[in-house]
Amino acid sequence: MFYGLDWVATVPPTVRITTDVFGSRDAPVVFGWVVAGHQLGAAFAALGAGMLRSTLGTYTVATMISGGLCVIGALLILRVNRPSFAPAVAAG
């Protein structure tokens, strides 16, 4: 149930943003690549965490790396500039 609620909270806004940025014609393909990239990233993160756990006997290092990447992502998002959507003024 909670997993489904998570998808309800993230998928529709992501589809909307993808459609707004890439248009309704290209959005389905772009969204497919977003989902595929997310799945590949999750698979490699799980593999890396498992390998660290097998080597070190603990998930502490994997958790610290994950937390560090989250902090880096949070700082990088501050550099994103939002485009202004000012309505076009008709000449005349």
Coordinates of all heavy atoms in Angstrom, one line a residue:
M1 N 0.8 -1.2 0.0 CA 0.0 0.0 0.0 C 0.9 1.3 0.0 O 0.6 2.2 -0.8 CB -0.9 0.0 1.2 CG -1.8 1.2 1.3 SD -3.0 1.0 2.6 CE -2.6 2.3 3.6
F2 N 1.9 1.3 0.9 CA 2.7 2.5 0.9 C 3.5 2.7 -0.4 O 3.8 3.8 -0.8 CB 3.7 2.4 2.1 CG 2.9 2.5 3.4 CD1 2.9 1.4 4.3 CD2 2.3 3.7 3.8 CE1 2.2 1.5 5.5 CE2 1.6 3.8 5.0 CZ 1.6 2.7 5.8
Y3 N 3.9 1.6 -1.0 CA 4.7 1.7 -2.2 C 3.8 2.3 -3.3 O 4.2 3.2 -4.0 CB 5.1 0.3 -2.7 CG 6.0 0.3 -3.9 CD1 7.3 0.7 -3.9 CD2 5.4 -0.1 -5.1 CE1 8.0 0.8 -5.1 CE2 6.2 -0.1 -6.3 CZ 7.5 0.3 -6.3 OH 8.2 0.4 -7.4
G4 N 2.5 1.9 -3.4 CA 1.6 2.5 -4.3 C 1.4 4.0 -4.1 O 1.3 4.8 -5.0
L5 N 1.3 4.3 -2.8 CA 1.1 5.8 -2.5 C 2.3 6.6 -2.9 O 2.2 7.7 -3.3 CB 0.9 5.9 -1.0 CG -0.5 5.4 -0.5 CD1 -0.6 5.5 1.0 CD2 -1.6 6.2 -1.1
D6 N 3.5 5.9 -2.8 CA 4.7 6.6 -3.2 C 4.7 6.9 -4.7 O 5.0 8.0 -5.1 CB 6.0 5.7 -2.9 CG 7.2 6.4 -3.4 OD1 7.5 7.5 -3.1 OD2 8.0 5.6 -4.1
W7 N 4.2 6.0 -5.5 CA 4.1 6.2 -6.9 C 3.1 7.3 -7.3 O 3.3 8.0 -8.2 CB 3.8 4.9 -7.7 CG 5.0 4.1 -8.0 CD1 5.7 3.3 -7.1 CD2 5.8 4.1 -9.2 NE1 6.8 2.8 -7.7 CE2 6.9 3.3 -9.0 CE3 5.6 4.7 -10.4 CZ2 7.8 3.0 -10.0 CZ3 6.5 4.4 -11.4 CH2 7.6 3.6 -11.2
V8 N 2.0 7.3 -6.5 CA 1.0 8.3 -6.7 C 1.5 9.7 -6.5 O 1.2 10.7 -7.1 CB -0.3 8.1 -5.9 CG1 -1.2 9.2 -5.8 CG2 -1.0 6.8 -6.3
A9 N 2.5 9.8 -5.5 CA 3.0 11.1 -5.2 C 4.1 11.5 -6.1 O 4.5 12.7 -6.1 CB 3.6 11.0 -3.7
T10 N 4.7 10.6 -6.9 CA 5.9 11.0 -7.7 C 5.7 10.9 -9.2 O 6.1 11.7 -10.0 CB 7.1 10.2 -7.3 OG1 6.8 8.8 -7.5 CG2 7.5 10.4 -5.9
V11 N 4.9 9.9 -9.6 CA 4.8 9.7 -11.1 C 4.0 10.8 -11.8 O 4.5 11.3 -12.8 CB 4.2 8.3 -11.4 CG1 4.0 8.1 -12.9 CG2 5.3 7.2 -10.9
P12 N 2.8 11.1 -11.3 CA 2.1 12.2 -12.0 C 2.8 13.5 -12.2 O 2.8 14.1 -13.3 CB 0.8 12.3 -11.3 CG 0.6 11.0 -10.6 CD 2.0 10.5 -10.3
P13 N 3.4 14.0 -11.1 CA 4.2 15.2 -11.3 C 5.3 15.1 -12.3 O 5.6 16.0 -13.0 CB 4.7 15.6 -9.9 CG 3.9 14.8 -8.9 CD 3.4 13.6 -9.7
T14 N 6.0 13.9 -12.3 CA 7.1 13.7 -13.2 C 6.6 13.7 -14.6 O 7.2 14.3 -15.5 CB 7.9 12.4 -12.9 OG1 8.3 12.5 -11.5 CG2 9.1 12.2 -13.7
V15 N 5.5 13.0 -14.9 CA 4.9 13.0 -16.2 C 4.5 14.4 -16.6 O 4.7 14.8 -17.8 CB 3.6 12.1 -16.2 CG1 2.9 12.2 -17.6 CG2 4.1 10.6 -16.0
R16 N 3.9 15.2 -15.7 CA 3.5 16.6 -16.1 C 4.7 17.4 -16.4 O 4.7 18.2 -17.4 CB 2.8 17.2 -14.9 CG 2.4 18.6 -15.1 CD 1.4 18.7 -16.3 NE 1.2 20.1 -16.6 CZ 0.1 20.8 -16.3 NH1 -0.9 20.2 -15.6 NH2 -0.1 22.0 -16.6
I17 N 5.8 17.3 -15.6 CA 7.0 18.1 -15.9 C 7.6 17.7 -17.2 O 8.0 18.6 -18.0 CB 8.0 18.0 -14.7 CG1 7.5 18.6 -13.5 CG2 9.4 18.5 -15.1 CD1 8.3 18.3 -12.2
T18 N 7.7 16.4 -17.5 CA 8.2 15.9 -18.7 C 7.4 16.4 -19.9 O 7.9 16.9 -20.9 CB 8.2 14.4 -18.7 OG1 8.9 13.9 -17.6 CG2 8.9 13.8 -20.0
T19 N 6.1 16.4 -19.8 CA 5.2 16.9 -20.8 C 5.4 18.4 -21.0 O 5.4 18.9 -22.2 CB 3.7 16.6 -20.5 OG1 3.6 15.2 -20.3 CG2 2.8 17.0 -21.6
D20 N 5.5 19.2 -19.9 CA 5.7 20.6 -20.1 C 7.0 21.0 -20.7 O 7.1 21.9 -21.5 CB 5.6 21.3 -18.7 CG 4.2 21.3 -18.1 OD1 3.2 21.0 -18.8 OD2 4.1 21.6 -16.9
V21 N 8.0 20.2 -20.4 CA 9.3 20.5 -21.0 C 9.5 20.0 -22.4 O 10.1 20.7 -23.2 CB 10.5 20.0 -20.0 CG1 11.8 20.1 -20.6 CG2 10.4 20.7 -18.7
F22 N 9.1 18.8 -22.7 CA 9.4 18.2 -24.0 C 8.2 18.1 -24.9 O 8.3 17.7 -26.0 CB 9.9 16.8 -23.7 CG 11.2 16.7 -23.1 CD1 11.3 16.5 -21.7 CD2 12.4 17.0 -23.8 CE1 12.5 16.5 -21.0 CE2 13.6 17.0 -23.1 CZ 13.7 16.8 -21.8
G23 N 7.0 18.5 -24.4 CA 5.8 18.5 -25.3 C 5.1 17.2 -25.3 O 5.7 16.1 -25.0
S24 N 3.9 17.2 -25.6 CA 3.1 15.9 -25.5 C 3.5 14.9 -26.6 O 3.3 13.7 -26.4 CB 1.6 16.3 -25.7 OG 1.3 16.9 -27.0
R25 N 4.1 15.3 -27.6 CA 4.6 14.3 -28.6 C 5.8 13.5 -28.1 O 5.9 12.3 -28.3 CB 4.9 15.0 -29.9 CG 5.4 14.1 -31.0 CD 5.6 14.9 -32.3 NE 6.5 14.1 -33.2 CZ 7.8 14.2 -33.3 NH1 8.4 15.1 -32.5 NH2 8.5 13.4 -34.1
D26 N 6.8 14.2 -27.5 CA 8.0 13.5 -27.1 C 8.0 13.0 -25.7 O 8.9 12.3 -25.3 CB 9.2 14.4 -27.3 CG 9.4 14.7 -28.8 OD1 9.1 13.8 -29.6 OD2 9.9 15.8 -29.1
A27 N 7.1 13.5 -24.9 CA 7.1 13.2 -23.4 C 7.0 11.7 -23.1 O 7.7 11.3 -22.2 CB 5.9 13.9 -22.7
P28 N 6.2 10.9 -23.8 CA 6.2 9.5 -23.4 C 7.6 8.8 -23.6 O 8.0 8.0 -22.7 CB 5.2 8.9 -24.4 CG 4.3 10.0 -24.7 CD 5.2 11.2 -24.8
V29 N 8.3 9.1 -24.6 CA 9.6 8.5 -24.8 C 10.6 9.0 -23.8 O 11.3 8.2 -23.2 CB 10.1 8.8 -26.3 CG1 11.5 8.3 -26.4 CG2 9.2 8.1 -27.3
V30 N 10.6 10.3 -23.5 CA 11.5 10.9 -22.5 C 11.2 10.3 -21.2 O 12.1 9.9 -20.4 CB 11.4 12.4 -22.5 CG1 12.2 13.0 -21.4 CG2 11.9 13.0 -23.8
F31 N 9.9 10.2 -20.8 CA 9.5 9.6 -19.5 C 10.0 8.2 -19.4 O 10.4 7.7 -18.4 CB 8.0 9.7 -19.3 CG 7.6 9.2 -17.9 CD1 7.9 9.9 -16.8 CD2 6.9 8.0 -17.8 CE1 7.6 9.4 -15.5 CE2 6.6 7.5 -16.6 CZ 6.9 8.2 -15.4
G32 N 9.9 7.4 -20.5 CA 10.4 6.0 -20.5 C 11.8 6.0 -20.2 O 12.3 5.1 -19.5
W33 N 12.6 6.9 -20.8 CA 14.0 6.9 -20.5 C 14.3 7.3 -19.1 O 15.3 6.9 -18.4 CB 14.8 7.8 -21.5 CG 15.0 7.2 -22.8 CD1 14.4 7.4 -24.0 CD2 15.9 6.1 -23.1 NE1 14.8 6.6 -25.0 CE2 15.8 5.8 -24.4 CE3 16.8 5.4 -22.3 CZ2 16.5 4.8 -25.0 CZ3 17.6 4.4 -22.9 CH2 17.4 4.1 -24.2
V34 N 13.5 8.2 -18.5 CA 13.6 8.6 -17.1 C 13.4 7.4 -16.2 O 14.2 7.2 -15.3 CB 12.7 9.8 -16.8 CG1 12.6 10.0 -15.3 CG2 13.0 11.1 -17.5
V35 N 12.4 6.7 -16.5 CA 12.1 5.5 -15.7 C 13.2 4.4 -15.8 O 13.7 3.8 -14.9 CB 10.7 4.9 -16.0 CG1 10.5 3.5 -15.4 CG2 9.6 5.8 -15.7
A36 N 13.7 4.2 -17.1 CA 14.7 3.2 -17.3 C 16.0 3.7 -16.6 O 16.7 2.8 -16.0 CB 15.0 3.1 -18.8
G37 N 16.4 4.9 -16.7 CA 17.6 5.4 -16.0 C 17.4 5.3 -14.5 O 18.4 4.9 -13.8
H38 N 16.2 5.5 -13.9 CA 16.0 5.4 -12.5 C 16.2 3.9 -12.1 O 16.8 3.6 -11.1 CB 14.6 5.8 -12.2 CG 14.2 5.7 -10.7 ND1 13.6 4.6 -10.2 CD2 14.4 6.6 -9.7 CE1 13.5 4.8 -8.9 NE2 13.9 5.9 -8.6
Q39 N 15.7 3.0 -12.9 CA 15.8 1.6 -12.6 C 17.2 1.1 -12.6 O 17.7 0.3 -11.8 CB 14.9 0.7 -13.5 CG 13.4 1.0 -13.3 CD 12.9 0.7 -11.9 OE1 13.3 -0.3 -11.3 NE2 12.2 1.6 -11.3
L40 N 18.0 1.5 -13.6 CA 19.4 1.2 -13.7 C 20.2 1.7 -12.6 O 21.0 1.0 -12.0 CB 20.0 1.6 -15.1 CG 19.5 0.9 -16.3 CD1 20.0 1.5 -17.6 CD2 20.0 -0.6 -16.2
G41 N 19.9 3.0 -12.2 CA 20.6 3.6 -11.1 C 20.3 2.8 -9.8 O 21.2 2.6 -9.0
A42 N 19.0 2.5 -9.6 CA 18.7 1.7 -8.4 C 19.3 0.4 -8.3 O 19.8 -0.1 -7.3 CB 17.1 1.6 -8.3
A43 N 19.4 -0.3 -9.5 CA 20.0 -1.6 -9.5 C 21.5 -1.5 -9.2 O 22.0 -2.3 -8.4 CB 19.9 -2.2 -10.9
F44 N 22.2 -0.6 -9.8 CA 23.6 -0.4 -9.5 C 23.9 0.0 -8.0 O 24.9 -0.4 -7.4 CB 24.3 0.6 -10.4 CG 24.6 -0.1 -11.8 CD1 23.9 0.4 -12.9 CD2 25.5 -1.1 -11.9 CE1 24.2 -0.2 -14.1 CE2 25.7 -1.7 -13.1 CZ 25.1 -1.2 -14.3
A45 N 23.0 0.9 -7.5 CA 23.1 1.3 -6.1 C 22.9 0.0 -5.2 O 23.7 -0.1 -4.2 CB 22.1 2.3 -5.7
A46 N 21.9 -0.8 -5.4 CA 21.7 -2.0 -4.6 C 22.9 -3.0 -4.8 O 23.3 -3.5 -3.8 CB 20.4 -2.7 -5.0
L47 N 23.4 -3.1 -6.0 CA 24.6 -4.0 -6.2 C 25.8 -3.5 -5.4 O 26.5 -4.2 -4.7 CB 24.9 -4.1 -7.7 CG 26.2 -4.9 -8.0 CD1 26.0 -6.3 -7.7 CD2 26.5 -4.7 -9.5
G48 N 26.0 -2.2 -5.5 CA 27.2 -1.6 -4.8 C 27.0 -1.7 -3.3 O 28.0 -2.0 -2.6
A49 N 25.8 -1.5 -2.8 CA 25.6 -1.6 -1.3 C 25.8 -3.0 -0.9 O 26.4 -3.3 0.2 CB 24.2 -1.1 -1.0
G50 N 25.3 -4.0 -1.7 CA 25.5 -5.4 -1.4 C 27.0 -5.8 -1.4 O 27.4 -6.6 -0.5
M51 N 27.7 -5.3 -2.4 CA 29.1 -5.6 -2.4 C 29.9 -5.0 -1.3 O 30.8 -5.7 -0.7 CB 29.7 -5.1 -3.8 CG 29.2 -5.9 -5.0 SD 29.6 -5.2 -6.6 CE 31.4 -5.2 -6.5
L52 N 29.6 -3.8 -0.9 CA 30.2 -3.2 0.3 C 29.8 -4.0 1.6 O 30.7 -4.2 2.4 CB 29.8 -1.7 0.5 CG 30.4 -0.7 -0.5 CD1 29.8 0.6 -0.4 CD2 31.9 -0.6 -0.2
R53 N 28.6 -4.4 1.7 CA 28.2 -5.2 2.8 C 28.9 -6.5 2.9 O 29.4 -7.0 4.0 CB 26.7 -5.5 2.8 CG 26.1 -6.5 3.7 CD 26.2 -6.0 5.2 NE 25.5 -6.9 6.0 CZ 25.9 -8.0 6.6 NH1 27.1 -8.4 6.3 NH2 25.2 -8.7 7.4
S54 N 29.1 -7.2 1.7 CA 29.8 -8.5 1.7 C 31.3 -8.3 2.1 O 31.9 -9.1 2.7 CB 29.7 -9.1 0.3 OG 28.4 -9.5 0.1
T55 N 31.9 -7.1 1.6 CA 33.3 -6.9 1.9 C 33.6 -6.4 3.3 O 34.5 -6.9 4.0 CB 33.8 -5.8 0.9 OG1 33.6 -6.3 -0.4 CG2 35.3 -5.6 1.1
L56 N 32.7 -5.5 3.8 CA 33.0 -4.8 5.1 C 32.2 -5.4 6.2 O 32.5 -5.1 7.4 CB 32.7 -3.3 5.0 CG 33.6 -2.6 3.9 CD1 33.1 -1.1 3.8 CD2 35.0 -2.7 4.2
G57 N 31.1 -6.1 5.9 CA 30.2 -6.7 7.0 C 29.2 -5.7 7.5 O 28.6 -6.0 8.5
T58 N 29.1 -4.5 6.9 CA 28.2 -3.5 7.4 C 27.7 -2.6 6.3 O 28.4 -2.5 5.2 CB 28.8 -2.6 8.5 OG1 27.9 -1.7 9.0 CG2 30.1 -1.9 8.0
Y59 N 26.5 -2.1 6.4 CA 26.0 -1.1 5.4 C 26.4 0.3 5.7 O 25.9 1.2 5.0 CB 24.5 -1.2 5.4 CG 24.0 -2.4 4.7 CD1 23.3 -3.5 5.4 CD2 24.1 -2.6 3.3 CE1 22.8 -4.6 4.7 CE2 23.6 -3.7 2.6 CZ 23.0 -4.7 3.4 OH 22.5 -5.8 2.7
T60 N 27.2 0.6 6.8 CA 27.5 1.9 7.2 C 28.1 2.7 6.1 O 27.7 3.9 5.8 CB 28.4 1.9 8.4 OG1 27.7 1.2 9.5 CG2 28.7 3.3 8.9
V61 N 29.1 2.2 5.4 CA 29.8 3.0 4.3 C 28.8 3.2 3.2 O 28.7 4.4 2.6 CB 31.0 2.2 3.8 CG1 31.6 2.9 2.6 CG2 32.0 2.0 4.9
A62 N 28.0 2.3 2.8 CA 27.0 2.5 1.8 C 26.0 3.6 2.1 O 25.6 4.4 1.3 CB 26.2 1.2 1.5
T63 N 25.6 3.6 3.4 CA 24.6 4.6 3.9 C 25.3 6.0 3.9 O 24.7 7.0 3.5 CB 24.2 4.3 5.3 OG1 23.6 3.0 5.3 CG2 23.2 5.3 5.8
M64 N 26.6 6.0 4.2 CA 27.3 7.3 4.2 C 27.4 7.9 2.8 O 27.3 9.0 2.5 CB 28.6 7.2 4.9 CG 28.5 6.8 6.4 SD 27.7 8.0 7.4 CE 29.1 9.0 7.8
I65 N 27.8 7.0 1.9 CA 27.9 7.4 0.5 C 26.5 7.9 0.0 O 26.5 8.9 -0.7 CB 28.4 6.2 -0.4 CG1 29.9 5.9 0.0 CG2 28.3 6.5 -1.9 CD1 30.4 4.6 -0.7
S66 N 25.5 7.1 0.3 CA 24.1 7.5 -0.2 C 23.7 8.9 0.4 O 23.2 9.7 -0.3 CB 23.1 6.5 0.3 OG 21.8 6.8 0.0
G67 N 24.0 9.1 1.7 CA 23.7 10.4 2.3 C 24.5 11.5 1.7 O 24.0 12.6 1.4
G68 N 25.8 11.2 1.4 CA 26.6 12.3 0.7 C 26.1 12.6 -0.7 O 26.1 13.8 -1.1
L69 N 25.7 11.6 -1.4 CA 25.2 11.9 -2.8 C 23.9 12.7 -2.7 O 23.6 13.5 -3.5 CB 24.9 10.6 -3.5 CG 26.2 9.8 -3.9 CD1 25.9 8.5 -4.5 CD2 27.0 10.7 -4.9
C70 N 23.1 12.4 -1.6 CA 21.8 13.2 -1.4 C 22.1 14.7 -1.2 O 21.5 15.6 -1.7 CB 21.0 12.6 -0.3 SG 20.2 11.1 -0.7
V71 N 23.1 14.9 -0.3 CA 23.5 16.3 0.0 C 24.1 17.0 -1.3 O 23.7 18.1 -1.6 CB 24.6 16.3 1.1 CG1 25.2 17.7 1.2 CG2 24.0 15.9 2.4
I72 N 24.9 16.3 -2.1 CA 25.4 16.8 -3.3 C 24.2 17.2 -4.3 O 24.1 18.2 -4.9 CB 26.4 15.9 -4.0 CG1 27.7 15.8 -3.2 CG2 26.7 16.3 -5.4 CD1 28.6 14.7 -3.6
G73 N 23.2 16.2 -4.4 CA 22.1 16.5 -5.2 C 21.2 17.7 -4.7 O 20.8 18.5 -5.6
A74 N 21.1 17.8 -3.4 CA 20.3 18.9 -2.9 C 21.1 20.2 -3.2 O 20.4 21.3 -3.5 CB 20.2 18.8 -1.4
L75 N 22.4 20.2 -3.1 CA 23.1 21.5 -3.4 C 23.1 21.8 -4.9 O 23.0 23.0 -5.3 CB 24.6 21.3 -3.0 CG 24.8 21.3 -1.4 CD1 26.2 21.0 -1.1 CD2 24.3 22.6 -0.8
L76 N 23.1 20.8 -5.8 CA 23.1 21.0 -7.2 C 21.7 21.5 -7.7 O 21.7 22.3 -8.6 CB 23.4 19.7 -8.0 CG 24.9 19.3 -7.9 CD1 25.0 17.9 -8.6 CD2 25.8 20.3 -8.6
I77 N 20.7 21.1 -7.0 CA 19.4 21.6 -7.4 C 19.2 23.1 -7.2 O 18.4 23.7 -7.8 CB 18.2 20.7 -6.8 CG1 16.9 20.9 -7.5 CG2 18.0 21.2 -5.3 CD1 16.9 20.2 -8.8
L78 N 20.0 23.6 -6.3 CA 19.9 25.0 -6.0 C 20.4 25.9 -7.2 O 20.1 27.0 -7.3 CB 20.7 25.4 -4.7 CG 20.1 24.8 -3.4 CD1 21.1 25.1 -2.3 CD2 18.7 25.3 -3.2
R79 N 21.2 25.2 -8.1 CA 21.7 25.9 -9.2 C 20.8 25.9 -10.4 O 21.0 26.5 -11.4 CB 23.0 25.3 -9.6 CG 24.1 25.4 -8.6 CD 25.4 24.9 -9.0 NE 25.8 25.3 -10.3 CZ 26.5 26.4 -10.7 NH1 26.7 27.3 -9.7 NH2 26.8 26.7 -11.9
V80 N 19.6 25.2 -10.3 CA 18.7 25.1 -11.4 C 17.9 26.4 -11.5 O 17.3 26.9 -10.5 CB 17.7 23.9 -11.3 CG1 16.7 24.0 -12.3 CG2 18.5 22.6 -11.3
N81 N 17.9 27.0 -12.7 CA 17.2 28.3 -12.9 C 15.8 27.9 -13.5 O 15.7 27.2 -14.4 CB 17.9 29.2 -13.9 CG 19.2 29.7 -13.3 OD1 19.3 30.0 -12.1 ND2 20.2 29.9 -14.1
R82 N 14.8 28.5 -12.9 CA 13.4 28.3 -13.4 C 13.2 29.3 -14.6 O 13.4 30.5 -14.4 CB 12.4 28.5 -12.3 CG 12.6 27.5 -11.2 CD 11.5 27.7 -10.2 NE 10.3 27.0 -10.8 CZ 9.1 27.1 -10.3 NH1 8.9 27.9 -9.2 NH2 8.1 26.5 -10.8
P83 N 12.7 28.8 -15.7 CA 12.5 29.7 -16.8 C 11.2 30.5 -16.5 O 10.3 30.1 -15.8 CB 12.2 28.7 -18.0 CG 11.8 27.4 -17.4 CD 12.5 27.4 -16.0
S84 N 11.2 31.7 -17.0 CA 10.1 32.6 -16.8 C 9.1 32.3 -17.9 O 9.5 32.2 -19.1 CB 10.4 34.0 -16.8 OG 11.0 34.4 -18.0
F85 N 7.9 32.1 -17.6 CA 6.8 31.8 -18.6 C 5.9 33.0 -18.7 O 4.7 33.0 -18.4 CB 6.0 30.6 -18.1 CG 6.7 29.3 -18.2 CD1 7.2 28.7 -17.1 CD2 7.0 28.7 -19.4 CE1 7.9 27.5 -17.1 CE2 7.7 27.5 -19.5 CZ 8.1 26.9 -18.4
A86 N 6.5 34.1 -19.1 CA 5.8 35.3 -19.4 C 5.0 35.2 -20.6 O 5.4 34.7 -21.6 CB 6.7 36.5 -19.5
P87 N 3.7 35.6 -20.6 CA 2.9 35.5 -21.8 C 3.4 36.4 -22.9 O 3.9 37.5 -22.6 CB 1.5 35.9 -21.3 CG 1.7 36.7 -20.0 CD 3.0 36.2 -19.5
A88 N 3.4 35.9 -24.1 CA 3.8 36.7 -25.2 C 2.8 37.9 -25.5 O 1.6 37.7 -25.4 CB 3.9 35.9 -26.5
V89 N 3.3 39.1 -25.8 CA 2.5 40.2 -26.0 C 2.4 40.4 -27.5 O 3.4 40.4 -28.2 CB 3.1 41.5 -25.4 CG1 2.3 42.7 -25.7 CG2 3.3 41.3 -23.9
A90 N 1.2 40.4 -28.0 CA 1.0 40.6 -29.5 C 1.3 42.0 -29.9 O 0.9 43.0 -29.3 CB -0.5 40.3 -29.8
A91 N 2.1 42.1 -31.0 CA 2.4 43.4 -31.5 C 1.2 43.9 -32.3 O 0.5 43.2 -33.0 CB 3.6 43.3 -32.5
G92 N 1.0 45.2 -32.1 CA -0.1 45.7 -32.9 C -0.7 46.8 -32.3 O -1.3 47.6 -32.1

